[in-house]
Amino acid sequence: MAYIGHRCGCGHMDAQHKAGAAKTACQARAGLSCGGGCRKSVKSVLAPTFDVKARPIARVVTPGERIGGNNGFVTCGCDNCQALYEQLTAQ
């Protein structure tokens, strides 16, 4: 599955900067906590995901949907993310 979200100033997706999320390796090296020194872009982007054989997974998660159960996160449901989802999934 792929999800729609926003890139932070550091280049990571917003889901990696949610409160309580584990630090990424580059954040730990830089001594940053979630969101520290990063600015979330208002532009929505598609974050593709791949299976174990490096093939792209086509399903796009609906904005505002929870990924990963109770230990996961809720994808952004802002108007920009909704508009991109509609554009990508239009028949």
Side-chain angles (χ1 to χ4, degrees), residues 1-59:
M1 79 193 135
Y3 76 94
I4 297 170
H6 305 269
R7 287 215 183 270
C8 291
C10 68
H12 289 110
M13 292 300 290
D14 56 354
Q16 295 171 302
H17 295 288
K18 296 288 185 191
K23 290 183 183 180
T24 63
C26 75
Q27 286 175 313
R29 283 192 300 274
L32 299 174
S33 60
C34 291
C38 297
R39 295 273 190 267
K40 184 172 98 170
S41 170
V42 294
K43 181 182 177 187
S44 299
V45 295
L46 179 67
T49 54
F50 303 90
D51 67 13
V52 295
K53 293 189 177 183
R55 295 176 296 211
I57 300 173
R59 178 181 175 261

